[in-house]
């Protein structure tokens, strides 16, 4: 009903709310047109068409480029590659009497075609085969990625903690300090890790240090904002009570604010740590260390069996990390 005055009239004369009006229809049409333009700009319409074709192709109707690509990858991704096969001539200080554990030497014939003479030539090549050599290599790279996430988070906390306190409206010593620190945190958040990693690789060269610093700079902006917002939202009662007893601002912050915001801070840090490890897996694509470099190299060589091994290890790591994080969260919060 439109108003309470209608209740004084018989119900047959009540004016009910009309959801479908010319104004609402016009607004709906404008929204539909705007959403349609936006969907076309982001190629959502093409994605819907190609996905529909893939579904139809899967049940035997027509052909689909999407389905063909997925089938081609799946066909080459299995079985997973966990063995390392290296030509003996490329192994430094190779000693056939002192092979690595479970490793063995196998012989293979390499055939090459000479276009000039129209003849084939062949030679026997020795290969050192380590049955779990590639899996071991991927695990080491994954551990390096976890370390990148850990140190990126630690440095991020060291940057964001003082900035977060200074960026809280109720504890910033001056208004310009508040504005400046908020601006710094916004700048850090606005810089994507991948772009930062590109610049840092130019400055520090290829390796994990570029990835660590890229993670630290970006996530310090995120953590600093979370820290500042939690301080500003802390209940004022305990702060006023402690302040009225003569305690300074730092003592009020330490005894009345930190105990209240600490559980939320711990949750934020755990989230950022998980996020940093996931992000660190792709920073290697631009040369910033970690398992991403290995993933990019294998992808460029079309070694999809090795790519599948890397993706499986990343998935297992994320699952384990989530399980450990949940256990820690239950004990700390």
């Amino acid at each position: 009903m439109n108003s309470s005055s209608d209740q004084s009239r018989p119900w047959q004369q009540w004016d009910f709310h009309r959801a479908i009006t010319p104004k609402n229809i016009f607004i709906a049409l404008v929204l539909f047109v705007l959403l349609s333009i936006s969907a076309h700009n982001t190629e959502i319409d093409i994605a819907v068409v190609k996905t529909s074709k893939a579904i139809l192709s899967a049940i035997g109707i027509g052909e689909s480029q999407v389905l063909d690509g997925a089938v081609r990858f799946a066909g080459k991704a299995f079985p997973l590659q966990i063995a390392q096969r290296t030509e003996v001539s490329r192994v430094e200080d190779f000693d056939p009497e002192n092979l690595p554990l479970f490793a063995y030497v196998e012989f293979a014939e390499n055939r090459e075609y000479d276009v000039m003479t129209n003849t084939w030539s062949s030679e026997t090549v020795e290969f050192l085969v380590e049955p779990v050599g590639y899996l071991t290599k991927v695990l080491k790279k994954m551990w390096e990625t976890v370390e990148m996430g850990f140190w990126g988070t630690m440095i991020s906390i060291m940057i964001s903690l003082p900035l977060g306190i200074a960026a809280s409206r109720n504890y910033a010593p001056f208004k310009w300090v508040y504005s400046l620190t908020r601006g710094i945190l916004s700048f850090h958040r606005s810089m994507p890790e991948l772009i930062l990693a590109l610049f840092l690789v130019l400055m520090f060269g290829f390796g994990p240090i570029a990835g660590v610093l890229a993670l630290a700079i970006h996530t310090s902006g995120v953590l600093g904002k979370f820290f500042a917002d939690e301080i500003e939202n802390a209940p004022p009662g305990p702060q006023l009570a402690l302040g009225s007893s003569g305690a300074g601002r730092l003592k009020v912050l330490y005894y009345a604010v930190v105990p209240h915001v600490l559980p939320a801070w711990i949750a934020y840090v755990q989230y950022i740590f998980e996020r940093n490890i996931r992000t660190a897996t792709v920073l290697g694509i631009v040369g910033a260390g970690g398992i991403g470099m290995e993933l990019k190299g294998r992808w460029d060589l079309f070694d999809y069996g090795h790519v599948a091994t890397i993706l499986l290890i990343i998935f297992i790591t994320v699952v384990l990390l989530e399980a450990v994080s949940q256990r820690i969260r239950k004990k700390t919060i």
Side-chain angles (χ1 to χ4, degrees):
M1 290 186 296
N2 289 331
S3 67
S4 57
S5 62
D6 291 336
Q7 297 180 5
S8 60
R9 294 181 292 174
W11 66 269
Q12 292 87 351
Q13 299 178 6
W14 288 359
D15 293 329
F16 291 95
H17 174 71
R18 295 173 57 197
I20 302 176
T21 62
K23 179 183 175 183
N24 290 346
I25 292 174
F26 175 74
I27 293 173
L29 284 175
V30 170
L31 287 175
F32 177 76
V33 171
L34 292 176
L35 288 174
S36 299
I37 294 172
S38 176
H40 178 70
N41 290 339
T42 52
E43 297 186 345
I44 291 177
D45 51 346
I46 297 175
V48 171
V49 171
K50 289 190 174 181
T51 304
S52 302
K53 285 184 177 179
I55 294 172
L56 291 173
S57 180
I59 58 176
I61 303 174
E63 296 181 352
S64 166
Q65 179 186 355
V66 175
L67 186 63
D68 290 346
V71 170
R72 193 162 54 247
F73 174 79
K76 294 182 179 178
F78 299 97
L80 301 179
Q81 298 297 320
I82 60 173
Q84 182 83 7
R85 193 167 179 265
T86 313
E87 196 172 318
V88 167
S89 60
R90 299 173 59 185
V91 179
E92 291 186 8
D93 303 325
F94 175 73
D95 182 3
E97 302 298 328
N98 187 24
L99 298 178
L101 188 64
F102 303 124
Y104 58 92
V105 175
E106 71 175 16
F107 298 91
E109 185 180 14
N110 270 356
R111 299 189 68 196
E112 292 186 359
Y113 178 71
D114 189 341
V115 179
M116 302 298 292
T117 60
N118 193 25
T119 58
W120 286 90
S121 63
S122 63
E123 62 175 343
T124 302
V125 182
E126 290 181 275
F127 287 94
L128 175 65
V129 180
E130 299 171 82
V132 291
Y134 189 68
L135 180 62
T136 305
K137 180 181 179 180
V138 171
L139 290 175
K140 287 179 180 177
K141 286 289 183 184
M142 194 66 236
W143 180 247
E144 181 183 279
T145 305
V146 173
E147 289 178 313
M148 286 171 58
F150 173 78
W151 283 110
T153 306
M154 289 296 104
I155 298 173
S156 171
I157 294 171
M158 288 188 280
I159 297 172
S160 60
L161 194 55
L163 288 179
I165 295 172
S168 58
R169 193 183 300 275
N170 46 346
Y171 282 93
F174 305 101
K175 189 175 179 181
W176 66 266
V177 173
Y178 168 80
S179 301
L180 178 64
T181 49
R182 283 280 178 174
I184 293 172
L185 293 176
S186 298
F187 176 74
H188 284 192
R189 284 199 309 278
S190 66
M191 292 291 107
E193 297 96 330
L194 210 58
I195 304 301
L196 284 170
L198 282 171
F199 283 109
L200 291 166
V201 165
L202 287 176
M203 297 165 63
F204 292 91
F206 294 109
I209 182 61
V212 169
L213 294 179
L215 292 171
I217 292 172
H218 176 77
T219 53
S220 65
V222 180
L223 268 184
K225 183 181 187 306
F226 288 162
F227 288 170
D229 290 346
E230 285 296 326
I231 293 174
E232 290 182 354
N233 294 331
Q239 300 177 58
L240 291 173
L242 197 59
S244 62
S245 67
R249 291 167 64 86
L250 286 179
K251 281 189 176 179
V252 173
L253 179 69
Y254 184 75
Y255 290 106
V257 177
V258 171
H260 176 78
V261 302
L262 192 58
W265 283 8
I266 292 173
Y268 291 142
V269 169
Q270 287 180 345
Y271 166 73
I272 291 296
F273 179 50
E274 293 175 27
R275 182 183 178 280
N276 278 349
I277 291 177
R278 288 194 296 269
T279 307
T281 59
V282 298
L283 290 184
I285 290 175
V286 295
I291 203 168
M293 292 181 70
E294 180 67 18
L295 179 62
K296 179 70 166 55
R298 291 295 178 178
W299 187 270
D300 289 343
L301 293 171
F302 304 103
D303 291 339
Y304 294 142
H306 296 83
V307 170
T309 303
I310 295 170
L311 295 179
L312 178 64
I313 294 299
I314 292 174
F315 171 71
I316 292 173
T317 302
V318 171
V319 171
L320 290 176
L321 189 65
E322 174 66 19
V324 172
S325 177
Q326 289 295 337
R327 290 181 66 87
I328 294 174
R329 191 170 298 164
K330 286 180 181 177
K331 291 184 178 180
T332 56
I333 300 177

